Amino acid sequence: MKLFLHLIEGDSAASRLARVAQLSKSSRRPVIVFAETGDPACSPLDWLMGPGCTCCLPATHPRHRLMQAASQQRTMRIIIDAGPPGVADRIVGMLRALPVPLSVHLICA
């Protein structure tokens, strides 16, 4: 089981969301989308809010939902609207600190 994370960064929210939609439509693997157009909606800053540990996070928090996806024992593609480059770098650092096997790819929109 491996999670493939595609973080879409860029200054324009419209171009990021268009790239998220394009990637989710073209995926052959199951997709989970973490964006303002996802269900539930998730902004880039939501990833950085909350305590550092995942045990104290509410069930709707994106880090908690990512840990749940990692426990499903199947290969998945996760697409994240990571916001502008500064926010995206902080999200990448936080994701690499999680105790799950991840393949992180940063894509410019």
Side-chain angles (χ1 to χ4, degrees):
M1 184 276 313
K2 188 156 191 163
L3 295 179
F4 293 94
L5 280 91
H6 301 279
L7 281 82
I8 312 300
E9 72 170 358
D11 292 325
S12 168
S15 65
R16 289 192 318 263
L17 293 177
R19 186 75 169 131
V20 165
Q22 177 191 23
L23 286 174
S24 62
K25 285 180 185 176
S26 66
S27 179
R28 289 177 278 154
R29 292 190 173 106
V31 176
I32 298 176
V33 175
F34 290 98
E36 292 182 11
T37 57
D39 184 30
C42 172
S43 78
L45 293 178
D46 288 341
W47 286 93
L48 304 175
M49 297 174 77
C53 65
T54 56
C55 63
C56 301
L57 295 172
T60 58
H61 195 279
R63 280 185 274 159
H64 189 270
R65 290 174 40 218
L66 178 69
M67 296 298 286
Q68 287 178 331
S71 67
Q72 291 184 4
Q73 299 299 321
R74 62 181 180 171
T75 302
M76 300 187 83
R77 174 179 272 184
I78 297 177
I79 302 171
I80 299 172
D81 174 12
V87 176
D89 292 340
R90 292 185 62 197
I91 292 173
V92 168
M94 183 270 315
L95 290 172
R96 292 203 169 140
L98 292 175
V100 293
L102 302 173
S103 175
V104 179
H105 304 278
L106 199 57
I107 301 170
C108 293

